């Protein structure tokens, strides 16, 4: 007996698949499944997080609905995956956040933060809000750098803490039969697998979307989003170093490293999420976890908002729109941070952990 | 659907699609009529996993050479010589090229095999299985401009003097239509899903058969062709039948209802009596004989009985084994006579001689002094819980078919060549397979003769 109804169904499917194994060449889920004959809750959550939802095993399965065996691996694993995020969330009290409408939560968080920053600025100096500021330190007319740093570091550190504790719980649960610690080789393997989205390829042809014709579109948009996010993160890190090590204050000229990284990243964060959103809208509903639509869309929307406001800020930073735009941008980033541990962001972290585990299992199996 | 086609292909499985693609590549206009709805397109091909092809050297997907001669010997062995040598050798020769041709049609092979079956040398495995390979063939056919209709069951063929003129199609919405074409390729499978027809040869026992594949292969096209003067080939009672779980659905349970645990235990009938040497041979032979053996038992039911020491020695199963802490308890759950089952197991255990167990070879674990003997892998059944799988005959496909030439052209009863009718796949498998079966040959027959039939049909149509 399993903890939840979806884990029961996942177990049923894995029993069917394990007696079939036709899909073993498609991705990591099936070889991992074949290493087991019975499945604990942790095993099932592990398998669910290994799945990249490429859809191939649905389109290729002779038992998918309307067949009476009713085998729908991608959808079942998607639901199980989403439920696993809540199951391992830290603190437990907040696991319900996953179930609520992520889009609304994120937007409200972003706007509240924006309003807070605007209010903060208005309270200090009404003129600063809609004034035109140029040159180094222009951004800090709105809010002093230190205030910003404290606010965002706190949000960021909280997100990291919550994520680490959640993933630790996940790691322990899926790790039963094998080594406890992640080793370097397996981590490196997992970085490569995650970095190229190795298992979103439907066994080589691409991912299944609105019909039975595979494409690589989702992979492309995911890459844009993911690498866009990393570039923006790098931009912020470089800017922080500039600030503290070189005492150079933002905004920087357009050709400077933080701006170049941020611009490229921003473009990725606009094009990627839009592409992912459109792909999701068009995708065959049979492959989707429709109940968690809000969570996915919320995350996509936050990334998009971060990208768009960032780019707008770059273009309009020397006009009176700078103040409100900066407030919005910071609001979006702040919301992204605090909702990170309770939204779709975690899929990347859990999947990475699962890939590390898979790499370990492969090594142990020789 | 518009006008008259050069080539009409009836069926929607591997043989049909290979024929359609090859006819289209040969320059013909092609229509495929698949009787099943879109999801069930491709009949038994949906359930397949691999294909047997001759090859002279190891490749990325195959571990060693498998020469034409060796393939021929294997075929000779399983059929006991009941095969058309000229046709069979021709097929084997062509199978070499099919390995590559099928890849050119978009089908992908699985690089290395995870350990399902020990066929890595002789058989290539479809990446993602038969439905994946079908999907690829359909995408290619569509891209080439082959017209395809689903839910299009052919209900009648207009044939005059060995010449195909038109087919009548029942379509759910538009009703019946007559379709004319210059050549015909019949690739509509066998008659295994037609219980009434099976009963003609098997009697009432056929009611207890389970059909492993599509419910749409009712043999209607085969029957029409035979009724209209095409020469038949093969013994109607011959078919590929294995023992599958008795709890499987009547149709379309596919591969996952199989059991490969026979060698690890004993098999008894409903009177709790053993009836055949469970240790006779290794896979795949042992796999392919048990369908017939069970079909010959009362009520067409049998039970594979083993104990808890071997549960991890075979593939995981869809249905869990039925368990009892004692033999009597197990007998109760199986509704077998418990005294009889206890005696069968006690007698068997007493007859087991010590040996070194190795299920990958014909080992030296044997019984002495019982009938039937167990000539390999005999080990005592004595560690509770005692476990059992109920099994019934599972019919894979039938061998009665239309006689064809090397060009896949049908032969008429009077010995003449059919003017414009070709056949491929299960519907003509009996030319090559008089009886018996070696894994992966169904797809070889379909691909090789499908490709030939399409090419020849196109040639005929464009002449
Ligand atoms: C569970 C299972 C596993 C198997 N595994 C393998 C394997 O691994 N390797 C292997 O080589 N073989 C395997 N086989 C055998 C293999 O499936 C067949 O040999 C092969 O599929 C035959 O191909 P075909 O194209 O002739 O027939 P099918 O693929 O059965 O296609 C026949 C088609 O004809 C259509 N049809 C029937 N009547 C009409 C009509 N009146 N009008 C229109 N359409 C009609 C059907 O809907 C169907 O699409 C397996 C079979 C089963 C059941
Ligand atoms: S998804 Fe379907 S075809 Fe793939 S392994 Fe599972 S049961 Fe088999
Ligand atoms: S990654 Fe693709 S093939 Fe693998 S389980 Fe998920 S949907 Fe199926």
């Amino acid at each position: 007996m399993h903890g939840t109804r979806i884990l029961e169904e996942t177990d049923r499917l894995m029993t069917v698949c394990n007696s079939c194994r036709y899909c073993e060449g498609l991705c990591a889920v099936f070889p991992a499944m074949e290493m087991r004959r019975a499945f604990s809750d942790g095993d099932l959550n592990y398998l669910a997080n290994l799945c990249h939802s490429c859809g191939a095993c649905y389109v290729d399965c002779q038992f998918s609905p309307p067949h009476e065996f009713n085998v729908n691996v991608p959808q079942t694993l998607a639901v199980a995956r989403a439920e696993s995020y809540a199951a391992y969330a830290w603190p437990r009290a907040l696991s319900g956040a996953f179930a609520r409408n992520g889009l609304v939560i994120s937007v409200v968080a972003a706007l509240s933060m924006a309003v807070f920053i605007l209010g903060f600025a208005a309270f200090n100096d009404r003129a600063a809000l809609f004034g035109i500021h140029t040159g180094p330190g222009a951004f800090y007319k709105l809010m002093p750098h230190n205030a910003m740093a404290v606010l965002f570091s706190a949000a960021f550190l909280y997100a990291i803490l919550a994520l680490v504790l959640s993933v630790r719980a996940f790691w322990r649960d899926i790790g039963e039969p094998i080594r406890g610690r992640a080793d370097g080789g397996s981590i490196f393997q997992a970085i490569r697998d995650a970095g190229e989205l190795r298992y979103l390829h439907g066994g080589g042809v691409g991912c299944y979307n609105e019909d039975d014709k595979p494409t690589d579109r989702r992979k492309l948009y995911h890459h844009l989003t993911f690498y866009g996010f990393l570039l923006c993160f790098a931009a912020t890190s470089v800017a922080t170093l500039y600030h503290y090590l070189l005492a150079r204050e933002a905004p920087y000229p357009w050709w400077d490293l933080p701006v170049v990284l941020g611009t490229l990243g921003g473009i990725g964060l606009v094009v990627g999420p839009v592409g992912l959103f459109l792909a999701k809208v068009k995708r065959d509903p049979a492959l989707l976890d429709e109940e968690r639509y809000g969570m996915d869309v919320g995350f996509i929307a936050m990334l998009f908002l971060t990208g768009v406001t960032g780019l707008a800020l770059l273009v309009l930073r020397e006009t009176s729109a700078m103040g409100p735009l900066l407030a919005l941008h910071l609001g979006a980033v702040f919301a992204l941070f605090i909702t990170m541990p309770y939204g779709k962001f975690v899929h990347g972290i859990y999947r990475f952990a699962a890939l590390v585990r898979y790499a370990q299992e492969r090594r142990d199996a020789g | 659907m518009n006008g008259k086609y050069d080539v009409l292909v009836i069926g929607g499985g591997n043989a049909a699609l290979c024929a359609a693609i090859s006819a289209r590549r040969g320059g013909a206009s092609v229509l495929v009529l698949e009787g099943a709805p879109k999801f069930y397109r491709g009949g038994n091909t949906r359930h397949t996993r691999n294909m047997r092809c001759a090859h002279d050297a190891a490749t990325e997907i195959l571990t060693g050479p498998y020469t034409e001669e060796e393939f021929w010997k294997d075929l000779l062995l399983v059929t006991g010589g009941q095969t058309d040598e000229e046709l069979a050798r021709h097929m084997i020769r062509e199978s070499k090229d099919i390995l590559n041709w099928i890849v050119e049609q978009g089908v992908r092979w699985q690089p290395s095999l995870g350990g399902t079956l020990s066929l890595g040398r002789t058989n290539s495995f479809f990446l993602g299985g038969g439905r994946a390979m079908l999907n690829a063939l359909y995408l290619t056919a569509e891209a080439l401009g082959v017209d395809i209709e689903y839910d299009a069951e052919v209900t009648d063929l207009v044939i005059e003097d060995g010449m195909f003129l038109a087919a009548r199609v029942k379509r759910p919405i538009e009703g019946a239509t007559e379709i004319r074409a210059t050549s015909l390729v019949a690739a509509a499978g066998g008659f295994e899903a037609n219980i009434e027809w099976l009963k003609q040869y098997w009697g009432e026992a056929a009611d207890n058969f389970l059909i492993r594949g599509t419910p749409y292969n009712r043999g209607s096209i085969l029957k029409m062709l035979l009724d209209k003067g095409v020469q038949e080939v093969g013994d109607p009672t011959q078919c590929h039948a294995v023992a599958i779980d008795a709890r499987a659905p009547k149709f379309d349970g596919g591969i996952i209802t199989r059991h490969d645990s026979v060698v690890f235990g004993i098999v008894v009938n409903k009177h709790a009596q053993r009836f055949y040497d469970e240790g006779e041979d290794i896979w795949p032979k042992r796999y392919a004989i048990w369908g017939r053996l069970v079909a010959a038992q009362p009520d067409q039911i049998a039970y594979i009985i083993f104990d808890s020491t071997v549960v991890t020695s075979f593939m995981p199963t869809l249905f869990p084994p039925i368990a009892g802490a004692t033999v009597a308890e197990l007998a109760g759950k199986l509704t077998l006579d418990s005294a009889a089952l206890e005696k069968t197991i006690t007698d068997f255990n007493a007859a087991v001689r010590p040996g070194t167990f190795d299920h990958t070879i014909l080992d030296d674990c044997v019984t002495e002094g019982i009938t039937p003997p167990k000539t390999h892998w005999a080990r005592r059944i004595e560690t509770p819980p005692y476990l059992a799988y109920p099994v019934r005959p599972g019919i894979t496909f039938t061998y009665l078919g239309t006689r064809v030439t090397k060009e896949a052209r049908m032969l008429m009863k009077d010995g003449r060549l059919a003017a414009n009718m070709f056949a491929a796949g299960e519907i003509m498998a009996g030319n090559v397979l008089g009886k018996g079966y070696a894994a992966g040959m169904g797809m070889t027959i379909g691909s090789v003769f499908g490709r030939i039939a399409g090419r020849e049909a196109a040639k005929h149509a464009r002449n």
Side-chain angles (χ1 to χ4, degrees):
Chain A
M1 281 305 283
H2 293 288
T4 65
R5 198 196 55 79
I6 197 68
L7 289 180
E8 284 294 330
E9 173 65 2
T10 309
D11 188 314
R12 182 185 78 86
L13 291 192
M14 290 299 105
T15 303
V16 175
C17 292
N18 216 1
S19 60
C20 170
R21 302 188 169 184
Y22 279 20
C23 291
E24 67 187 358
L26 295 180
C27 71
V29 171
F30 298 94
M33 164 198 85
E34 286 178 19
M35 293 180 200
R36 298 156 168 78
R37 284 183 90 95
F39 306 93
S40 68
D41 282 9
D43 290 333
L44 296 172
N45 286 329
Y46 162 56
L47 296 172
N49 280 284
L50 262 187
C51 169
H52 288 50
S53 203
C54 75
C57 64
Y58 174 77
V59 180
D60 291 349
C61 179
Q62 65 269 42
F63 306 122
S64 42
H67 193 282
E68 64 177 289
F69 288 160
N70 193 25
V71 174
N72 187 339
V73 175
Q75 187 178 56
T76 307
L77 292 190
V79 178
R81 197 157 58 237
E83 290 197 0
S84 79
Y85 305 154
Y88 298 110
W90 183 91
R92 279 307 286 267
L94 285 179
S95 48
F98 285 98
R100 283 179 228 119
N101 191 328
L103 180 60
V104 173
I105 293 188
S106 320
V107 170
V108 168
L111 289 180
S112 321
M113 192 58 197
V115 168
F116 170 75
I117 294 172
L118 287 174
F120 181 91
F123 181 76
N124 281 323
D125 176 5
R126 194 169 287 269
L129 195 53
F130 294 106
I132 295 178
H133 314 281
T134 53
F139 290 160
Y140 311 124
K141 299 274 168 22
L142 208 64
M143 181 184 254
H145 181 271
N146 285 345
M148 253 185 223
V150 166
L151 208 56
F152 282 83
S153 308
F156 187 65
L157 288 177
Y158 173 77
I160 298 283
L161 176 75
L163 284 170
V164 165
L165 291 177
S166 308
V167 169
R168 197 177 65 155
F170 174 61
W171 183 259
R172 284 188 174 158
D173 210 18
I174 68 174
E176 235 1 274
I178 45 172
R179 285 177 273 145
R181 269 168 191 278
D183 59 291
S186 301
I187 292 177
F188 181 65
Q189 180 65 46
I191 289 176
R192 284 177 40 190
D193 293 344
E196 64 179 79
L197 281 182
R198 175 147 166 224
Y199 297 114
L200 195 71
H201 70 350
V205 287
C207 168
Y208 290 85
N209 298 287
E210 59 271 24
D211 55 22
D212 52 11
K213 296 183 182 57
T215 71
D216 271 334
R217 237 182 303 139
R218 272 178 71 228
K219 195 179 210 168
L220 173 71
Y221 291 133
H222 191 285
H223 278 332
L224 284 170
T225 309
F226 177 65
Y227 290 105
F229 180 83
L230 285 191
L231 284 170
C232 289
F233 191 72
T236 312
S237 308
V238 173
T240 307
L241 294 180
Y242 272 21
H243 186 90
Y244 288 109
L245 293 184
L246 307 179
R248 289 180 55 188
E249 294 207 316
Y252 305 105
W254 64 268
W255 45 260
D256 211 346
L257 192 56
V259 184
V260 172
L261 291 174
T263 308
L264 290 176
I267 293 171
L269 277 189
V270 171
V271 181
V274 169
L276 285 177
F277 177 72
L278 292 180
K280 188 174 274 302
V281 173
K282 277 196 277 177
R283 203 160 194 227
D284 182 348
L287 296 168
L288 295 174
D289 168 17
E290 300 239 33
E291 293 208 4
R292 246 70 40 158
Y293 213 77
M295 178 173 90
D296 296 7
V297 173
F299 181 52
I300 292 178
M302 273 308 105
L303 291 172
F304 174 75
L305 204 61
T306 305
V308 161
T309 53
L311 289 178
L313 190 59
L314 177 70
V315 177
L316 302 175
R317 66 185 180 188
E318 297 192 348
T319 71
S320 59
M322 189 274 263
L325 275 176
L326 182 64
L328 254 184
H329 182 62
L330 293 177
V333 175
F334 186 81
L336 194 62
F337 281 173
I338 60 158
T339 56
M340 257 182 193
Y342 311 105
K344 186 60 187 280
F345 176 81
V346 300
H347 85 282
I349 312 280
Y350 282 67
R351 178 152 304 145
F352 182 74
L355 283 168
V356 174
R357 186 61 89 194
Y358 180 65
Q360 282 189 331
E361 285 192 324
R362 292 298 286 234
R363 290 169 154 236
D364 288 358
Chain B
M1 184 176 320
N2 44 12
K4 184 182 168 185
Y5 286 88
D6 292 335
V7 177
L8 172 67
V9 178
I10 306 178
N14 171 47
L17 269 286
C18 286
I21 289 173
S22 121
R24 183 80 191 116
R25 290 201 190 276
S29 62
V30 183
L31 172 67
V32 172
L33 293 177
E34 160 63 289
K38 187 169 180 192
F39 171 79
Y40 284 99
R41 74 181 182 189
N44 284 345
T45 303
R46 284 170 45 243
H47 293 294
T48 64
R49 177 79 201 265
N50 59 55
M51 173 149 122
R52 182 179 292 254
C53 292
H55 49 277
D56 292 328
T59 65
E60 221 178 292
I61 49 162
L62 290 153
T63 53
Y66 184 53
T67 61
E68 286 181 43
E69 205 46 38
E70 200 185 346
F71 193 154
W72 165 244
K73 287 216 178 86
D74 285 347
L75 181 65
L76 212 54
L77 201 70
V78 296
T79 57
Q82 291 189 36
T83 175
D84 178 330
E85 176 161 358
E86 196 199 353
L87 217 58
R89 283 191 183 269
H90 182 60
M91 178 191 85
I92 292 171
R93 200 168 315 119
E94 291 276 311
S95 77
K96 282 183 164 174
D97 193 38
I98 280 290
L99 262 180
N100 304 316
W101 185 79
I102 207 91
V103 171
E104 285 159 23
Q105 315 318 317
V107 173
R108 291 162 302 142
W109 300 115
Q110 183 165 303
S112 74
L113 180 65
T116 316
L117 306 165
S118 49
L119 289 167
R121 186 172 70 86
T122 55
N123 291 39
S124 314
F125 286 66
F126 305 121
L127 183 68
R131 194 165 169 230
M133 91 76 93
L134 268 175
N135 290 342
L137 292 182
Y138 272 95
L139 284 180
T140 302
E142 280 166 10
L144 289 171
V146 170
D147 285 345
I148 295 161
E149 249 200 73
Y150 302 108
D151 281 312
E153 186 194 348
V154 173
T155 52
D156 199 10
L157 295 174
V158 185
I159 294 170
E160 264 172 30
D161 200 22
M163 169 107 166
F164 164 79
L165 299 176
R168 288 184 74 75
V169 197
K170 192 176 79 192
R171 292 134 105 205
I173 300 164
E174 300 93 327
T177 328
E178 197 169 272
I179 292 171
R180 308 178 70 78
T182 314
S183 328
L184 170 76
V185 176
F191 65 97
E192 59 277 350
N194 189 334
I195 307 276
E196 290 309 309
W197 194 348
L198 289 174
K199 272 189 186 173
Q200 282 181 26
Y201 315 110
W202 293 89
E204 296 306 310
D207 271 334
N208 286 326
F209 291 178
L210 302 176
I211 313 307
R212 303 174 70 208
T214 181
Y216 295 93
N217 283 2
R218 301 181 42 79
S220 50
I221 302 298
L222 174 62
K223 184 154 238 144
M224 287 173 218
L225 290 168
L226 298 183
D227 287 349
K228 293 181 188 201
V230 175
Q231 205 181 117
E232 77 174 44
V233 70
D235 172 352
T237 68
Q238 287 298 338
C239 60
H240 181 252
V242 299
I244 62 169
D245 202 291
R247 296 162 286 184
K250 185 77 179 167
F251 294 100
D252 217 52
I255 192 72
I256 62 180
T257 61
R258 72 180 169 305
H259 285 299
D260 54 1
S261 46
V262 167
V263 287
F264 298 101
I266 58 171
V267 183
V268 302
N269 62 16
K270 75 170 211 174
H271 303 302
Q273 302 303 318
R274 289 176 61 241
F275 52 89
Y276 197 83
D277 177 1
E278 301 89 349
E280 186 186 54
D281 209 340
I282 42 181
W283 202 97
K285 196 180 163 203
R286 70 173 186 237
Y287 176 67
I289 59 173
W290 284 91
R292 287 182 165 268
L293 291 172
V294 176
Q297 293 304 307
D299 291 350
Q300 295 71 50
I301 183 105
Y303 304 88
I304 306 170
I305 301 205
F306 52 100
D307 70 16
S308 59
T309 56
V310 298
V311 275
T312 53
S313 304
F314 43 84
M315 282 271 292
T317 56
L318 173 67
F319 299 100
I322 295 165
T326 61
V327 171
E329 188 189 329
L330 180 65
K333 287 190 182 168
L334 302 176
T335 61
L336 295 178
D337 182 283
S338 67
L341 186 61
E342 272 168 351
K343 179 168 187 322
T344 297
I345 293 181
T346 313
D347 290 352
F348 173 79
N349 286 347
V352 171
R353 293 290 155 264
T356 312
F357 182 85
D358 182 350
H359 73 99
T360 59
I361 54 164
L362 296 168
D363 73 1
D364 61 352
C365 296
V366 297
T367 58
E368 230 173 68
I370 47 164
T371 359
K374 186 172 178 185
T375 50
H376 304 284
W377 314 297
R379 284 187 301 180
R380 281 202 280 273
I381 299 170
E382 57 187 0
T383 313
Y386 298 93
L387 303 157
Y389 292 118
V391 289
R392 285 201 182 281
I395 313 298
T396 316
F397 67 96
T398 50
Y399 294 171
L400 178 73
T402 59
R403 191 177 282 283
V404 296
T405 66
K406 265 169 36 182
E407 286 71 42
R409 189 188 289 251
M410 292 184 215
L411 273 167
M412 307 305 290
K413 287 200 173 90
D414 58 14
R416 283 185 306 155
L417 285 173
N420 59 351
M421 301 194 292
F422 304 83
E426 243 174 50
I427 200 169
M428 48 66 66
N431 287 275
V432 180
L433 286 171
K435 68 170 198 192
Y437 186 70
M441 285 200 28
M443 298 305 276
T444 319
I445 296 171
S447 301
V448 168
F449 286 101
R451 183 188 180 195
I452 297 174
R455 185 178 65 215
E456 296 297 318
K459 215 189 276 173
H460 172 85
R462 294 171 55 81
N463 264 340

